Amino acid sequence: MNVLNKFKFCLLAFMMIFALGSCKSGEEQENITDVIVYGGTSGAITAAIQAKKMGKSVIMVSPDKHLGGLTAGGLGWTDTGKKEVIGGLSREFYQKIYDKYESESGWKWESQSDFGNKGQGTPAIDGEFRTMWIFEPHVAEEVFDDWVKELGIELYRDEWLDRESGVTVENGEITAIRTLSGKEFKGKMFIDATYEGDLMAASGVSYHVGREAGSVYNEEWNGIQTGVYDHRHHFQVLDNQIDPYWIPGDPSSGLIPKISSENPGVKGEGDNKIQAYCFRTCMSNHPDNRVPFPKPDNYDSSQYELLVRIFDAGWREWFGKFDMIPNRKTDTNNHGPFSSDNIGMNYEYPEANYERRKEIIKEHEDYQKGLLYFVANDPRVPKETQEEFQNWGLAKDEFIDNGNWPHQIYVREARRMVGEYVMTENELLQKKPTPESIGMGSYTIDSHNIQRYVDENGHVQNEGDIGVGLPGPYEISYGSIIPKKGEIKNLVVPVAVSASHIAFGSIRMEPVFMILGQSAATAAVMAINEGLSVQDLPYEKLRLQLISDGQVLKLEDQIK
């Protein structure tokens, strides 16, 4: 081979190698998605939709088989707050619900006129705004599924983050996440929209579990709240005279079930305990659309001895939170001193591995199913209560692949990020201004009970239930959905937000999660476009985009 031919051969080989290298680089680029949303909650869905609407590639990686979290998991009696501050995609969801019930096919088990129009602080069906705030679980799930499909969002269901080694971080940025099935997802921006904050925690971002002491953020309602009695979910409604021992007055006989032997702690101090969980059960009293309450395999009627004593003391509020949703169904929530909230049995849940979480969820399911079976069948239940309850059962046409039982437990709080800005009761009560609003909340500060114990007089008491009214809607800071500067640069957290325990008690409402999901995706997309970390994104540009997309950031922006 002469010199010229050698040169041509070498040049051709070099060009081929270069071309192959360029092709590989292009393939790698194609495999990097702009926005990866981890979660299947309502906030995850609005995040994915917003990213898609802004022209970015997006993948939803959902550990859940069913989309929508609590919104599609039984919480149809929406915690609306002031509806005028619910804007953007969150409002669009409730408009889509409205459209579903405009059709006659939406009213199978009753007529719309028979349903009435009662909602939580607002009409259930708002013709003026074409929104509907009260709905059945399966209708919410249909709306979410249709919405995601309509926009062509790539969705992976039942994919669980490998929390031990499934998050790749390089130079302060997440580059990829891997699920337990072995699937890997590379992205430019990541959004953790889970209730638990699993991606946030696995990436090394700061977070907190439990109640901070009141002194940490100068709050009145944080920390242990012994002696505070709200919502009638306590024993003061019975003059606090329920004996906790198997043999009344005899501590040596042992405590009856569901009462802790621990000291509740000192008022105002912090602890690692969280609000009680439950399932928002969907019941029906239509004879053709109800199934009897099932008896758990491990049913033990002695677990409900405390309820017997409450009934014997004269309590008759069993039906106090049978909130009616369309088609003669309920969104049934906790009510009273002993109810569906499984107090004190969820403390491990936020940090537990998946197997332990499944055990905790199963224990909650058995407890609550057993409770329903007990009231429907045990002879110690007051006759008038039992006879009325026997007209009810689980709704036959809801959660049909799960024995008519909700597929989502109500994770009222788990981990909460400690981010660039921590929302506290002071912002919610308007004692302190909120910087850089990305949306608004308006629901009462609401914590469910956290522990049940024996008080100093030898009687049963609940602790942790708080209901604090607000002077009006409040702003939520951009800093509350992004990690602290110096931590992860390309992660946004719209559900396990940076808030104190007591502030989270209001922020944790489903319409707000949808608002924050949209704002999180907007910030993620703009950070990509600007080539910046989420911490360095200019707020003014973000604000203008959010307003353009229909978000309500200040009270003067409210929808009228």
Side-chain angles (χ1 to χ4, degrees), residues 255-331:
L255 292 169
I256 60 177
K258 301 301 179 181
I259 303 171
S260 172
S261 60
E262 294 183 9
N263 186 293
V266 178
K267 185 176 182 181
E269 288 189 350
D271 59 21
N272 62 354
K273 299 172 182 176
I274 56 176
Q275 297 183 59
Y277 296 172
C278 70
F279 290 89
R280 299 289 285 249
T281 45
C282 185
M283 303 184 192
S284 173
N285 65 356
H286 194 293
D288 298 328
N289 192 40
R290 68 178 187 227
V291 294
F293 296 113
K295 181 180 181 180
D297 292 338
N298 60 355
Y299 176 71
D300 177 3
S301 65
S302 70
Q303 294 297 303
Y304 309 102
E305 172 66 24
L306 183 54
L307 181 59
V308 173
R309 297 185 185 192
I310 291 168
F311 279 138
D312 288 347
W315 187 77
R316 293 294 183 273
E317 297 179 28
W318 177 251
F319 301 97
K321 282 298 290 177
F322 278 51
D323 294 316
M324 298 305 299
I325 61 177
N327 289 306
R328 290 179 61 173
K329 300 177 190 175
T330 68
D331 166 2

Side-chain angles (χ1 to χ4, degrees), residues 153-288:
I153 292 170
E154 190 174 350
L155 168 63
Y156 292 82
R157 301 177 191 254
D158 198 20
E159 289 290 343
W160 297 78
L161 178 69
D162 179 348
R163 291 161 55 192
E164 296 299 319
S165 57
V167 181
T168 303
V169 177
E170 297 176 4
N171 299 319
E173 294 187 351
I174 302 171
T175 58
I177 62 172
R178 188 174 61 258
T179 60
L180 294 177
S181 70
K183 292 184 178 67
E184 185 174 62
F185 302 91
K186 297 179 180 179
K188 297 176 184 176
M189 285 284 165
F190 292 80
I191 297 174
D192 182 346
T194 60
Y195 292 121
E196 296 84 0
D198 281 342
L199 174 55
M200 170 196 71
S203 68
V205 167
S206 301
Y207 63 86
H208 187 80
V209 176
R211 294 184 281 191
E212 300 89 349
S215 59
V216 173
Y217 298 116
N218 190 29
E219 295 175 294
E220 178 181 358
W221 301 106
N222 208 344
I224 297 164
Q225 295 292 310
T226 47
V228 177
Y229 308 114
D230 285 329
H231 293 136
R232 298 182 66 77
H233 304 328
H234 50 77
F235 288 83
Q236 290 296 104
V237 297
L238 301 168
D239 296 325
N240 199 25
Q241 297 297 310
I242 303 299
D243 193 283
Y245 303 109
W246 280 113
I247 299 175
D250 181 5
S252 67
S253 65
L255 292 169
I256 60 177
K258 301 301 179 181
I259 303 171
S260 172
S261 60
E262 294 183 9
N263 186 293
V266 178
K267 185 176 182 181
E269 288 189 350
D271 59 21
N272 62 354
K273 299 172 182 176
I274 56 176
Q275 297 183 59
Y277 296 172
C278 70
F279 290 89
R280 299 289 285 249
T281 45
C282 185
M283 303 184 192
S284 173
N285 65 356
H286 194 293
D288 298 328

Side-chain angles (χ1 to χ4, degrees), residues 86-93 95 515 518 549-552 559:
I86 300 172
L89 295 176
S90 185
R91 177 168 288 266
E92 189 174 339
F93 167 77
Q95 289 169 337
I515 290 168
Q518 178 179 352
D549 290 335
Q551 293 278 53
V552 178
I559 298 169

Side-chain angles (χ1 to χ4, degrees), residues 450-472:
I450 291 172
Q451 52 186 337
R452 180 181 288 130
Y453 63 97
V454 180
D455 68 15
E456 63 277 8
N457 298 313
H459 299 133
V460 186
Q461 192 52 270
N462 295 338
E463 182 275 321
D465 187 271
I466 299 293
V468 180
L470 300 174

